Amino acid sequence: MSTLPFDVAVGSVQGREHARSGRNNQDAACVREGEHGLVVVVADGCGSQPCSELGAQLGVRRLAQAAQARLARGETVDGADFLPGLRSDLLELMEGLASTLGRDVLGDLLFTLVGAVVTPAHTLVFSSFPGNAPPYLAHALLRGEDVRLEPRALVPTEDVHALLVGTDGVGDLLGLSQARLPERDEAVGPLSRFWTEDRYFTNPD
């Protein structure tokens, strides 16, 4: 287990349009704690693909596992090879699946990524593309595009007091902070409630 002084809560909500049309929630999240640090990764699957939630789940798990393995080998998040190495680890998984199941499976591996790696020294925040939007990392295999994992912030961990990692739905919530919840006399509220209210850490769901 990580010795870092952070509590972690994970949640996901199926969008209204997904519920209305009977589609799965295509977001995925993975948290891995280890003696060398904490890894949090979220993915947003491509809505036009029938099984992109499976690709998103595989992607976040592989990326979190790979980050922990690299930390255990002594790599640091501020090293020039850390994010390119994670990209290679993830593409290796995709190539293996395509080799075994056929290239058609790459269509179900279209997802964007946002993540953070927290170590005692530094915290790295990264994403696969600005704005949590395509192109997808799998386009490196499908189209030969140079899609990378890009650093968004690198700060001393001692300066990190709270960290929210999310997909594009977080932006929607930010814009709705003053709106009223349906059938309740209560405002949606600020994003800060996710890290200041105990109920988000005690709720088993």
Side-chain angles (χ1 to χ4, degrees), residues 111-136:
F111 50 82
T112 56
L113 290 162
V114 182
V117 183
V118 184
T119 69
H122 293 97
T123 293
L124 170 69
V125 179
F126 63 89
S127 69
S128 55
F129 198 72
N132 189 39
Y136 302 105

Side-chain angles (χ1 to χ4, degrees), residues 58-184:
L58 288 171
V60 295
R61 293 177 187 184
R62 176 62 179 126
L63 202 64
Q65 176 194 48
Q68 285 290 1
R70 289 181 175 275
L71 293 177
R73 292 198 296 267
E75 294 189 29
T76 58
V77 296
D78 57 337
D81 296 331
F82 190 78
L83 284 179
L86 290 184
R87 175 186 184 272
S88 296
D89 293 334
L90 191 49
L91 289 179
E92 182 180 341
L93 168 70
M94 294 180 181
E95 285 184 304
L97 289 171
S99 176
T100 303
L101 302 175
R103 284 184 61 82
D104 287 350
V105 76
L106 292 174
D108 294 323
L109 299 175
L110 299 179
F111 50 82
T112 56
L113 290 162
V114 182
V117 183
V118 184
T119 69
H122 293 97
T123 293
L124 170 69
V125 179
F126 63 89
S127 69
S128 55
F129 198 72
N132 189 39
Y136 302 105
L137 198 61
H139 284 170
L141 301 177
L142 283 167
R143 304 176 183 175
E145 295 180 3
D146 185 22
V147 186
R148 305 178 185 183
L149 295 177
E150 300 285 354
R152 301 298 166 203
L154 178 65
V155 297
T157 296
E158 65 182 5
D159 294 339
V160 178
H161 305 288
L163 180 63
L164 177 67
V165 178
T167 59
D168 50 5
V170 173
D172 295 337
L173 277 177
L174 184 63
L176 291 170
S177 61
Q178 300 302 315
R180 312 306 291 183
L181 290 170
E183 301 178 359
R184 295 170 66 179

